[in-house]
Amino acid sequence: TAVEDTQLSAVMVAPNPFSTHLRLANPEGEAVRYELLTLTGCVVRSGRLDGNEVWVDTEILPSGIYFVRFYGANSAQKTIKVICY
C-alpha cells in the first residue's frame, strides 16, 4: 500500500538467513513496533524499534522460516520473510 511504501520502505532485516541474532534497522528513526512470528503465526519475539536499529536475540529459536512484521503509524504494516539456520 502507499502508506507502507512511504513509512516503512527503509526498514531492513539482516542477516538473512540468520542464526543467533537478527538486526532490525530503521534508518528513518521513526517509532515502529515489530514481531517475529513462526509460520503458524505464533509470536516468538516482539518489541519497539525507537531508534535506528535493534538486535534481537534468536539463539534458542529452532531452524526454520519466520516472518518479521513491522507496524508503523496509520496502520502501516510491512512483513519480511527470514530464515533461521
Side-chain angles (χ1 to χ4, degrees):
T1 65
V3 173
E4 174 188 310
D5 290 344
T6 58
Q7 186 180 39
L8 300 175
S9 63
V11 174
M12 298 177 293
V13 177
N16 190 12
F18 67 95
S19 59
T20 60
H21 288 88
L22 192 60
R23 178 181 169 255
L24 310 178
N26 182 13
E28 301 295 323
E30 295 184 33
V32 175
R33 288 186 308 112
Y34 70 87
E35 295 177 337
L36 180 61
L37 304 116
T38 64
L39 275 176
T40 60
C42 196
V43 177
V44 293
R45 299 282 185 276
S46 65
R48 293 193 61 82
L49 178 53
D50 291 323
N52 291 337
E53 71 178 20
V54 66
W55 287 87
V56 180
D57 181 13
T58 57
E59 189 168 9
I60 64 168
L61 296 179
S63 298
I65 298 172
Y66 294 84
F67 294 97
V68 180
R69 184 171 296 151
F70 296 97
Y71 300 93
N74 300 322
S75 302
Q77 290 185 21
K78 181 177 183 177
T79 303
I80 300 172
K81 181 171 84 171
V82 292
I83 299 169
C84 180
Y85 66 91

Coordinates of all heavy atoms in Angstrom, one line a residue:
T1 N 0.8 -1.2 0.0 CA 0.0 0.0 0.0 C 0.9 1.2 0.0 O 2.1 1.2 0.3 CB -0.9 0.0 1.2 OG1 -0.1 0.1 2.4 CG2 -1.8 -1.2 1.3
A2 N 0.3 2.4 -0.3 CA 1.0 3.6 -0.3 C 1.6 4.0 1.0 O 2.7 4.5 1.1 CB 0.2 4.7 -0.9
V3 N 0.8 3.8 2.1 CA 1.2 4.1 3.4 C 2.5 3.3 3.8 O 3.5 3.8 4.3 CB 0.1 3.9 4.5 CG1 0.6 4.0 5.9 CG2 -1.0 4.8 4.2
E4 N 2.4 2.0 3.5 CA 3.6 1.1 3.8 C 4.8 1.6 3.0 O 5.9 1.6 3.5 CB 3.3 -0.3 3.4 CG 4.5 -1.3 3.5 CD 4.2 -2.6 3.0 OE1 3.2 -3.2 3.3 OE2 5.0 -3.1 2.2
D5 N 4.6 1.9 1.7 CA 5.7 2.3 0.8 C 6.5 3.5 1.4 O 7.7 3.5 1.4 CB 5.2 2.6 -0.6 CG 4.8 1.3 -1.3 OD1 5.2 0.2 -0.8 OD2 4.1 1.4 -2.3
T6 N 5.7 4.5 1.9 CA 6.4 5.7 2.3 C 6.9 5.6 3.7 O 8.1 6.0 4.0 CB 5.5 6.9 2.2 OG1 4.3 6.6 3.0 CG2 5.1 7.2 0.8
Q7 N 6.2 5.0 4.6 CA 6.6 5.0 6.0 C 7.6 3.9 6.4 O 8.5 4.1 7.2 CB 5.3 4.8 6.9 CG 5.7 5.0 8.4 CD 4.5 4.9 9.3 OE1 3.6 4.0 9.0 NE2 4.4 5.7 10.3
L8 N 7.4 2.7 5.8 CA 8.2 1.5 6.2 C 9.2 1.1 5.1 O 9.8 0.0 5.2 CB 7.3 0.4 6.7 CG 6.4 0.7 7.8 CD1 5.5 -0.5 8.1 CD2 7.2 1.0 9.1
S9 N 9.3 1.9 4.1 CA 10.2 1.4 3.0 C 11.6 1.2 3.3 O 12.3 0.4 2.8 CB 10.1 2.4 1.8 OG 10.5 3.7 2.2
A10 N 12.1 2.0 4.3 CA 13.6 1.9 4.7 C 13.9 0.9 5.7 O 15.0 0.6 6.0 CB 14.0 3.3 5.2
V11 N 12.8 0.2 6.3 CA 13.0 -0.8 7.3 C 13.7 -2.0 6.7 O 13.3 -2.5 5.7 CB 11.7 -1.1 8.0 CG1 11.9 -2.3 9.0 CG2 11.1 0.1 8.7
M12 N 14.8 -2.5 7.4 CA 15.5 -3.6 6.9 C 15.7 -4.7 8.0 O 15.8 -4.4 9.1 CB 16.9 -3.2 6.4 CG 16.8 -2.2 5.3 SD 18.5 -1.6 4.8 CE 19.0 -0.7 6.3
V13 N 16.0 -5.9 7.5 CA 16.3 -7.0 8.4 C 17.6 -7.7 7.8 O 17.7 -7.9 6.7 CB 15.2 -8.1 8.4 CG1 15.5 -9.3 9.2 CG2 13.9 -7.5 8.9
A14 N 18.5 -7.9 8.7 CA 19.8 -8.6 8.3 C 20.4 -9.3 9.5 O 20.1 -8.9 10.7 CB 20.8 -7.5 7.8
P15 N 21.2 -10.3 9.4 CA 21.4 -11.0 8.1 C 20.2 -11.9 7.8 O 19.4 -12.2 8.7 CB 22.6 -11.8 8.4 CG 22.6 -12.1 9.9 CD 21.9 -10.9 10.5
N16 N 20.1 -12.3 6.6 CA 19.0 -13.2 6.2 C 19.6 -14.2 5.2 O 19.9 -13.8 4.1 CB 17.9 -12.5 5.6 CG 16.7 -13.4 5.4 OD1 16.6 -14.5 5.9 ND2 15.7 -12.9 4.7
P17 N 19.9 -15.4 5.6 CA 19.5 -16.2 6.8 C 20.3 -15.7 8.0 O 21.4 -15.2 7.9 CB 19.7 -17.6 6.5 CG 20.7 -17.6 5.4 CD 20.6 -16.3 4.6
F18 N 19.7 -16.0 9.2 CA 20.3 -15.6 10.5 C 20.5 -16.9 11.4 O 19.9 -17.9 11.1 CB 19.4 -14.6 11.2 CG 18.1 -15.1 11.6 CD1 17.9 -15.5 12.9 CD2 17.0 -15.1 10.8 CE1 16.7 -16.0 13.4 CE2 15.8 -15.5 11.2 CZ 15.6 -16.0 12.5
S19 N 21.2 -16.7 12.5 CA 21.4 -17.8 13.4 C 21.1 -17.3 14.8 O 20.1 -17.6 15.4 CB 22.7 -18.5 13.3 OG 23.8 -17.6 13.5
T20 N 22.1 -16.6 15.4 CA 22.0 -16.2 16.8 C 21.4 -14.8 17.1 O 20.9 -14.5 18.2 CB 23.3 -16.3 17.5 OG1 24.2 -15.4 16.9 CG2 23.8 -17.7 17.5
H21 N 21.5 -13.9 16.1 CA 20.9 -12.6 16.3 C 20.4 -12.1 14.9 O 20.8 -12.5 13.9 CB 22.1 -11.6 16.7 CG 22.5 -11.8 18.1 ND1 23.5 -12.7 18.5 CD2 22.0 -11.3 19.3 CE1 23.6 -12.7 19.8 NE2 22.7 -11.8 20.3
L22 N 19.4 -11.2 15.1 CA 18.7 -10.6 13.9 C 18.8 -9.1 14.1 O 18.3 -8.6 15.1 CB 17.3 -11.2 13.8 CG 16.5 -10.9 12.5 CD1 17.3 -11.5 11.3 CD2 15.1 -11.5 12.6
R23 N 19.3 -8.4 13.1 CA 19.4 -6.9 13.2 C 18.2 -6.3 12.5 O 18.0 -6.6 11.3 CB 20.7 -6.5 12.6 CG 20.8 -5.0 12.6 CD 22.2 -4.6 11.9 NE 22.2 -3.2 11.7 CZ 22.1 -2.6 10.5 NH1 21.9 -3.4 9.4 NH2 22.1 -1.3 10.3
L24 N 17.4 -5.5 13.2 CA 16.3 -4.8 12.6 C 16.8 -3.3 12.5 O 17.1 -2.7 13.5 CB 15.1 -4.9 13.4 CG 14.7 -6.3 13.8 CD1 13.4 -6.3 14.7 CD2 14.5 -7.2 12.6
A25 N 16.8 -2.8 11.3 CA 17.2 -1.4 11.1 C 16.1 -0.5 10.5 O 15.3 -0.9 9.7 CB 18.4 -1.4 10.1
N26 N 16.1 0.7 11.0 CA 15.2 1.7 10.6 C 15.9 3.1 10.5 O 15.9 3.9 11.4 CB 14.0 1.8 11.6 CG 13.0 2.8 11.2 OD1 12.9 3.3 10.1 ND2 12.1 3.2 12.2
P27 N 16.5 3.3 9.3 CA 17.3 4.5 9.1 C 16.5 5.8 9.3 O 17.1 6.8 9.6 CB 17.8 4.4 7.7 CG 17.7 2.9 7.3 CD 16.6 2.4 8.1
E28 N 15.2 5.7 9.1 CA 14.4 6.9 9.3 C 14.2 7.3 10.7 O 13.9 8.4 11.0 CB 13.0 6.7 8.6 CG 13.1 6.4 7.1 CD 13.6 7.5 6.3 OE1 13.3 8.7 6.6 OE2 14.4 7.2 5.4
G29 N 14.4 6.3 11.6 CA 14.3 6.6 13.1 C 12.9 6.8 13.6 O 12.8 7.2 14.8
E30 N 11.9 6.5 12.9 CA 10.5 6.7 13.4 C 10.2 5.5 14.3 O 10.7 4.4 14.0 CB 9.5 6.7 12.2 CG 9.7 8.0 11.4 CD 8.6 8.1 10.3 OE1 7.5 7.7 10.6 OE2 9.0 8.6 9.3
A31 N 9.3 5.7 15.2 CA 8.9 4.6 16.1 C 8.1 3.5 15.4 O 7.2 3.8 14.7 CB 8.1 5.1 17.3
V32 N 8.6 2.3 15.5 CA 8.0 1.2 14.8 C 7.9 0.0 15.8 O 8.9 -0.3 16.5 CB 8.8 0.8 13.6 CG1 8.3 -0.5 12.9 CG2 8.9 1.9 12.6
R33 N 6.8 -0.7 15.8 CA 6.7 -2.0 16.6 C 7.1 -3.1 15.7 O 6.9 -3.1 14.4 CB 5.3 -2.2 17.1 CG 4.9 -1.3 18.2 CD 3.5 -1.6 18.8 NE 2.5 -1.7 17.8 CZ 1.8 -2.9 17.5 NH1 2.2 -4.0 18.1 NH2 0.9 -2.9 16.6
Y34 N 7.6 -4.2 16.2 CA 7.9 -5.4 15.4 C 7.5 -6.7 16.1 O 7.4 -6.7 17.4 CB 9.4 -5.5 15.1 CG 10.3 -5.8 16.3 CD1 10.6 -7.1 16.7 CD2 10.9 -4.7 17.0 CE1 11.4 -7.3 17.8 CE2 11.7 -5.0 18.1 CZ 11.9 -6.3 18.5 OH 12.7 -6.6 19.6
E35 N 7.3 -7.7 15.4 CA 7.0 -9.0 15.9 C 7.8 -10.0 15.0 O 7.9 -9.9 13.8 CB 5.6 -9.4 15.8 CG 4.7 -8.6 16.7 CD 3.2 -8.9 16.5 OE1 2.8 -9.5 15.5 OE2 2.4 -8.6 17.4
L36 N 8.4 -11.0 15.6 CA 9.0 -12.1 14.9 C 8.0 -13.3 15.1 O 7.8 -13.7 16.2 CB 10.4 -12.5 15.5 CG 11.1 -13.6 14.8 CD1 11.4 -13.3 13.4 CD2 12.5 -13.9 15.6
L37 N 7.5 -13.8 14.0 CA 6.5 -14.9 14.0 C 6.9 -16.1 13.3 O 7.7 -16.1 12.4 CB 5.2 -14.4 13.3 CG 4.6 -13.1 13.7 CD1 4.7 -12.0 12.6 CD2 3.2 -13.3 14.1
T38 N 6.4 -17.3 13.8 CA 6.6 -18.6 13.2 C 5.7 -18.7 12.0 O 4.8 -17.8 11.8 CB 6.3 -19.7 14.2 OG1 4.9 -19.7 14.5 CG2 7.2 -19.6 15.4
L39 N 5.9 -19.7 11.2 CA 5.0 -20.0 10.1 C 3.5 -20.1 10.5 O 2.6 -19.8 9.7 CB 5.4 -21.3 9.3 CG 6.5 -21.1 8.3 CD1 6.9 -22.5 7.7 CD2 6.1 -20.2 7.2
T40 N 3.3 -20.6 11.7 CA 1.9 -20.7 12.2 C 1.3 -19.5 12.8 O 0.2 -19.4 13.3 CB 1.8 -21.9 13.2 OG1 2.7 -21.6 14.3 CG2 2.2 -23.2 12.5
G41 N 2.1 -18.4 12.8 CA 1.7 -17.1 13.3 C 1.9 -16.9 14.8 O 1.4 -15.9 15.4
C42 N 2.7 -17.7 15.4 CA 3.0 -17.6 16.9 C 4.1 -16.6 17.0 O 5.1 -16.7 16.4 CB 3.4 -19.0 17.4 SG 3.4 -19.1 19.2
V43 N 3.9 -15.6 17.9 CA 4.8 -14.5 18.1 C 5.9 -15.1 19.1 O 5.6 -15.5 20.2 CB 4.2 -13.3 18.7 CG1 5.2 -12.2 19.0 CG2 3.1 -12.7 17.8
V44 N 7.2 -15.1 18.6 CA 8.3 -15.6 19.4 C 9.2 -14.4 20.0 O 9.9 -14.6 21.0 CB 9.2 -16.6 18.7 CG1 8.4 -17.9 18.4 CG2 9.7 -16.1 17.4
R45 N 9.1 -13.3 19.4 CA 9.8 -12.1 19.9 C 9.0 -10.9 19.4 O 8.4 -10.9 18.4 CB 11.2 -11.9 19.3 CG 12.2 -13.1 19.6 CD 12.7 -12.9 21.0 NE 13.7 -13.9 21.3 CZ 13.5 -15.2 21.6 NH1 12.3 -15.6 21.8 NH2 14.5 -16.0 21.9
S46 N 9.0 -9.8 20.2 CA 8.3 -8.6 19.9 C 9.0 -7.4 20.6 O 9.7 -7.6 21.6 CB 6.9 -8.7 20.2 OG 6.6 -8.8 21.6
G47 N 8.8 -6.2 20.1 CA 9.3 -5.1 20.8 C 9.1 -3.8 20.0 O 8.3 -3.8 19.0
R48 N 9.8 -2.8 20.4 CA 9.8 -1.5 19.7 C 11.1 -1.2 19.1 O 12.2 -1.4 19.7 CB 9.4 -0.4 20.6 CG 7.9 -0.5 21.1 CD 7.4 0.7 21.8 NE 7.4 1.9 21.0 CZ 6.5 2.2 20.1 NH1 5.5 1.4 19.9 NH2 6.5 3.3 19.4
L49 N 11.1 -0.6 17.9 CA 12.3 -0.1 17.3 C 12.2 1.4 17.3 O 11.6 2.0 16.4 CB 12.3 -0.7 15.8 CG 13.5 -0.3 14.9 CD1 14.8 -0.5 15.6 CD2 13.4 -1.0 13.6
D50 N 12.7 2.1 18.3 CA 12.5 3.5 18.5 C 13.7 4.3 17.9 O 13.6 5.5 17.7 CB 12.4 3.8 20.0 CG 11.1 3.4 20.6 OD1 10.1 3.4 19.9 OD2 11.1 2.9 21.7
G51 N 14.8 3.7 17.8 CA 16.0 4.3 17.2 C 16.3 3.9 15.8 O 15.4 3.5 15.0
N52 N 17.6 3.8 15.5 CA 18.0 3.4 14.1 C 18.1 1.8 14.0 O 18.0 1.3 12.9 CB 19.3 4.0 13.7 CG 19.1 5.5 13.5 OD1 18.0 6.0 13.3 ND2 20.2 6.2 13.7
E53 N 18.3 1.1 15.1 CA 18.4 -0.3 15.0 C 18.2 -1.0 16.3 O 18.4 -0.4 17.4 CB 19.8 -0.8 14.4 CG 20.9 -0.6 15.3 CD 22.2 -1.1 14.6 OE1 22.3 -1.2 13.4 OE2 23.2 -1.3 15.4
V54 N 17.9 -2.3 16.3 CA 17.8 -3.1 17.5 C 18.3 -4.5 17.1 O 18.1 -5.0 15.9 CB 16.4 -3.1 18.0 CG1 15.4 -3.8 17.1 CG2 16.3 -3.8 19.4
W55 N 19.0 -5.2 18.0 CA 19.4 -6.5 17.8 C 18.5 -7.5 18.6 O 18.3 -7.3 19.8 CB 20.9 -6.7 18.2 CG 21.8 -6.1 17.3 CD1 22.3 -4.8 17.3 CD2 22.5 -6.7 16.2 NE1 23.1 -4.5 16.3 CE2 23.3 -5.7 15.6 CE3 22.5 -8.0 15.6 CZ2 24.1 -5.9 14.5 CZ3 23.2 -8.2 14.5 CH2 24.0 -7.2 13.9
V56 N 18.0 -8.5 17.9 CA 17.0 -9.4 18.6 C 17.8 -10.7 18.8 O 18.4 -11.3 17.8 CB 15.8 -9.7 17.7 CG1 14.8 -10.6 18.3 CG2 15.1 -8.3 17.4
D57 N 17.8 -11.2 20.0 CA 18.4 -12.5 20.3 C 17.6 -13.6 19.8 O 16.4 -13.8 20.2 CB 18.6 -12.6 21.9 CG 19.3 -13.9 22.3 OD1 19.9 -14.6 21.4 OD2 19.3 -14.2 23.5
T58 N 18.1 -14.5 19.0 CA 17.4 -15.6 18.4 C 18.1 -16.9 18.6 O 17.8 -17.9 17.9 CB 17.2 -15.3 16.9 OG1 18.5 -15.2 16.3 CG2 16.4 -14.1 16.6
E59 N 19.0 -16.9 19.5 CA 19.9 -18.1 19.7 C 19.1 -19.4 20.0 O 19.5 -20.5 19.6 CB 20.9 -17.8 20.8 CG 22.0 -18.9 20.9 CD 23.1 -18.5 21.8 OE1 23.0 -17.4 22.4 OE2 24.1 -19.2 21.8
I60 N 18.0 -19.3 20.7 CA 17.3 -20.5 21.1 C 16.2 -20.9 20.2 O 15.5 -21.9 20.4 CB 16.7 -20.4 22.6 CG1 15.7 -19.3 22.6 CG2 17.8 -20.2 23.6 CD1 14.8 -19.3 23.9
L61 N 16.0 -20.2 19.1 CA 15.0 -20.5 18.1 C 15.4 -21.7 17.3 O 16.5 -21.8 16.8 CB 14.7 -19.3 17.2 CG 14.1 -18.1 17.9 CD1 13.9 -17.0 16.9 CD2 12.8 -18.4 18.6
P62 N 14.5 -22.6 17.0 CA 14.8 -23.7 16.1 C 14.9 -23.2 14.6 O 14.4 -22.2 14.3 CB 13.6 -24.7 16.3 CG 12.5 -23.8 16.8 CD 13.1 -22.7 17.5
S63 N 15.6 -24.0 13.8 CA 15.8 -23.6 12.4 C 14.4 -23.7 11.8 O 13.5 -24.4 12.1 CB 16.7 -24.7 11.7 OG 18.0 -24.6 12.3
G64 N 14.3 -22.8 10.8 CA 13.0 -22.7 10.0 C 12.8 -21.4 9.4 O 13.6 -20.5 9.4
I65 N 11.6 -21.2 8.9 CA 11.1 -20.0 8.3 C 10.3 -19.2 9.3 O 9.5 -19.7 10.0 CB 10.3 -20.3 7.0 CG1 11.2 -21.0 6.0 CG2 9.8 -19.0 6.4 CD1 10.4 -21.5 4.8
Y66 N 10.6 -17.9 9.3 CA 9.9 -16.9 10.2 C 9.5 -15.7 9.4 O 10.0 -15.5 8.3 CB 10.9 -16.5 11.4 CG 11.2 -17.6 12.3 CD1 12.3 -18.5 12.0 CD2 10.5 -17.8 13.5 CE1 12.6 -19.5 12.9 CE2 10.8 -18.8 14.4 CZ 11.9 -19.7 14.0 OH 12.2 -20.7 14.9
F67 N 8.7 -14.9 10.0 CA 8.3 -13.6 9.4 C 8.6 -12.5 10.4 O 8.3 -12.7 11.6 CB 6.8 -13.6 9.0 CG 6.5 -14.6 7.9 CD1 6.0 -15.8 8.2 CD2 6.8 -14.2 6.6 CE1 5.7 -16.7 7.2 CE2 6.5 -15.1 5.6 CZ 6.0 -16.4 5.9
V68 N 9.1 -11.4 10.0 CA 9.2 -10.2 10.8 C 8.2 -9.2 10.3 O 8.2 -8.8 9.1 CB 10.6 -9.5 10.7 CG1 10.7 -8.3 11.6 CG2 11.7 -10.5 11.1
R69 N 7.3 -8.8 11.2 CA 6.2 -7.9 10.8 C 6.4 -6.6 11.6 O 6.6 -6.6 12.8 CB 4.9 -8.5 11.2 CG 3.7 -7.6 10.7 CD 2.4 -8.3 10.8 NE 2.3 -9.4 9.9 CZ 1.6 -10.5 10.2 NH1 0.9 -10.6 11.3 NH2 1.6 -11.5 9.4
F70 N 6.4 -5.5 10.8 CA 6.6 -4.2 11.3 C 5.3 -3.4 11.3 O 4.5 -3.6 10.3 CB 7.6 -3.4 10.5 CG 9.0 -4.0 10.6 CD1 9.5 -4.8 9.6 CD2 9.9 -3.6 11.6 CE1 10.7 -5.3 9.6 CE2 11.1 -4.2 11.7 CZ 11.6 -5.0 10.7
Y71 N 5.0 -2.7 12.4 CA 3.8 -1.9 12.4 C 4.2 -0.4 12.7 O 4.9 -0.1 13.6 CB 2.9 -2.3 13.6 CG 2.5 -3.7 13.6 CD1 3.2 -4.7 14.2 CD2 1.3 -4.1 12.9 CE1 2.8 -6.1 14.2 CE2 0.9 -5.4 12.8 CZ 1.7 -6.4 13.5 OH 1.3 -7.7 13.4
G72 N 3.7 0.5 11.8 CA 4.0 1.9 11.9 C 2.7 2.6 12.2 O 1.7 2.1 12.5
A73 N 2.8 4.0 12.1 CA 1.6 4.8 12.4 C 0.6 4.6 11.2 O 1.0 4.1 10.1 CB 2.1 6.3 12.5
N74 N -0.6 5.0 11.5 CA -1.7 5.0 10.4 C -1.9 3.6 9.9 O -2.1 3.4 8.7 CB -1.4 5.9 9.3 CG -1.3 7.4 9.8 OD1 -2.0 7.8 10.7 ND2 -0.4 8.1 9.3
S75 N -1.7 2.5 10.7 CA -2.0 1.1 10.3 C -1.0 0.6 9.3 O -1.3 -0.4 8.6 CB -3.4 1.0 9.8 OG -4.3 1.3 10.8
A76 N 0.1 1.3 9.1 CA 1.1 0.8 8.1 C 1.7 -0.5 8.6 O 2.0 -0.7 9.8 CB 2.2 1.8 7.9
Q77 N 1.9 -1.5 7.7 CA 2.5 -2.8 8.0 C 3.4 -3.2 6.9 O 3.2 -2.9 5.7 CB 1.4 -3.9 8.2 CG 0.6 -3.8 9.4 CD -0.3 -5.0 9.5 OE1 -0.1 -6.0 9.0 NE2 -1.4 -4.8 10.2
K78 N 4.5 -3.9 7.3 CA 5.4 -4.5 6.4 C 5.9 -5.8 6.9 O 6.2 -5.9 8.1 CB 6.6 -3.6 6.2 CG 7.6 -4.1 5.1 CD 8.7 -3.1 4.9 CE 9.7 -3.6 3.9 NZ 10.7 -2.6 3.6
T79 N 5.9 -6.9 6.1 CA 6.3 -8.2 6.5 C 7.4 -8.7 5.7 O 7.4 -8.5 4.4 CB 5.1 -9.2 6.4 OG1 4.0 -8.7 7.2 CG2 5.5 -10.6 6.9
I80 N 8.5 -9.2 6.3 CA 9.7 -9.7 5.6 C 9.9 -11.2 6.1 O 9.9 -11.5 7.2 CB 10.9 -8.9 5.9 CG1 10.7 -7.4 5.5 CG2 12.1 -9.5 5.3 CD1 11.8 -6.5 5.9
K81 N 10.0 -12.1 5.1 CA 10.3 -13.5 5.4 C 11.8 -13.7 5.7 O 12.7 -13.1 4.9 CB 9.9 -14.4 4.2 CG 10.2 -15.9 4.5 CD 9.5 -16.7 3.4 CE 10.5 -16.8 2.2 NZ 10.0 -17.8 1.2
V82 N 12.1 -14.4 6.8 CA 13.5 -14.6 7.1 C 13.7 -16.1 7.4 O 12.7 -16.8 7.8 CB 14.0 -13.8 8.3 CG1 14.0 -12.3 8.0 CG2 13.1 -14.0 9.5
I83 N 14.9 -16.6 7.4 CA 15.2 -18.0 7.6 C 16.3 -18.1 8.7 O 17.3 -17.5 8.7 CB 15.8 -18.6 6.3 CG1 14.7 -18.6 5.2 CG2 16.2 -20.1 6.5 CD1 15.2 -18.9 3.8
C84 N 16.0 -19.0 9.7 CA 16.9 -19.3 10.7 C 17.6 -20.6 10.4 O 16.9 -21.6 10.1 CB 16.1 -19.4 12.1 SG 17.2 -19.8 13.5
Y85 N 18.9 -20.7 10.5 CA 19.6 -21.9 10.3 C 20.4 -22.4 11.5 O 20.6 -21.7 12.5 CB 20.6 -21.8 9.1 CG 21.7 -20.8 9.3 CD1 22.9 -21.3 9.9 CD2 21.6 -19.5 9.0 CE1 24.0 -20.4 10.0 CE2 22.7 -18.6 9.2 CZ 23.9 -19.1 9.7 OH 24.9 -18.2 9.9

